[in-house]
Amino acid sequence: MGDGQRKITDGPPADPDTTYRYVDMVEIAGWFGITHRAVANWRSRYADTHPFPEPDVIVGRTPGWSQERKSEIETWAAGRPGPGAGGGRPRKL
């Protein structure tokens, strides 16, 4: 998929004695002391210039990431553009 889009396909069932656990935007928000809405904004706001790591799973419409990717997500957050990046409204004088 050379256009930057990930292939999304139905996942296989878990083994009978296994339940897979993923973290959602609420839990990721807790890592940073922000709201889950802020994480959702990160995913959309920086999609073109600094895309948020793609989820490992989607349940219904809810994305989920493996707990093992916490450091990857923290690295992404540390590298995101700071306040005022991209312009915005000029300061009042």
Side-chain angles (χ1 to χ4, degrees):
M1 310 218 60
D3 60 2
Q5 296 289 95
R6 284 179 56 143
K7 179 181 176 184
I8 298 176
T9 186
D10 290 340
D15 293 331
D17 296 325
T18 303
T19 298
Y20 295 109
R21 184 181 179 287
Y22 295 91
V23 296
D24 61 7
M25 288 188 287
V26 172
E27 192 161 348
I28 291 171
W31 297 343
F32 297 99
I34 58 176
T35 67
H36 75 281
R37 191 68 225 147
V39 176
N41 287 341
W42 285 355
R43 292 187 69 217
S44 61
R45 180 174 297 140
Y46 304 113
D48 293 336
T49 58
H50 188 62
F52 194 82
E54 289 291 329
D56 296 307
V57 65
I58 299 174
V59 178
R61 294 181 358 194
T62 304
W65 292 262
S66 170
Q67 174 73 29
E68 294 173 6
R69 295 181 67 198
K70 182 176 182 180
S71 64
E72 176 187 355
I73 293 169
E74 290 172 334
T75 299
W76 177 91
R80 71 185 172 87
R89 189 181 300 180
R91 290 180 176 241
K92 291 183 179 181
L93 298 176

